[in-house]
Amino acid sequence: GCQVYNSGTEYAKINSEAIAKQTTVAAELKARGFKDLSSFYLSCERFSLRCWPSDFADLGSGAVLYFQFLAFCALFLFLAFLVQLAPLISYYNTGR
């Protein structure tokens, strides 16, 4: 399964509550029963393997751009394969 946790929305809630209480995020995490930020992160839900690249926006714009680039490369290679398919078949049929 996917090893990346979707912590963005939960962290935003904790951060806003810490601001409202005028405490730190670490203090709010301890009040909620988490030992540290890592234990909070590991308690969050993981991203689905079928999620859209835009779901990774909480991880930064680079993650989204990376997956969009991978999709572009896959599409380009598929189109290059289609362009080369006719000459490949033609060469195969000549018996060389």
Side-chain angles (χ1 to χ4, degrees):
C2 183
Q3 296 298 319
V4 180
Y5 295 90
N6 187 3
S7 62
T9 54
E10 288 298 317
Y11 184 81
K13 290 177 189 175
I14 290 175
N15 189 33
S16 62
E17 287 184 25
I19 291 171
K21 294 178 182 177
Q22 297 181 348
T23 63
T24 63
V25 173
E28 184 62 29
L29 285 173
K30 289 193 190 269
R32 289 182 177 219
F34 296 108
K35 185 174 79 171
D36 56 3
L37 188 60
S38 295
S39 61
F40 160 72
Y41 182 71
L42 293 174
S43 73
C44 292
E45 183 178 320
R46 292 182 179 178
F47 281 104
S48 167
L49 287 177
R50 297 180 185 177
C51 66
W52 290 101
S54 59
D55 292 342
F56 291 111
D58 290 340
L59 302 176
S61 61
V64 177
L65 291 173
Y66 172 73
F67 287 109
Q68 288 176 347
F69 178 71
L70 284 180
F72 169 77
C73 287
L75 179 66
F76 180 78
L77 287 174
F78 180 72
L79 292 175
F81 170 74
L82 289 180
V83 167
Q84 291 296 317
L85 195 58
L88 186 68
I89 292 171
S90 167
Y91 184 75
Y92 178 75
N93 288 335
T94 60
R96 295 183 197 180

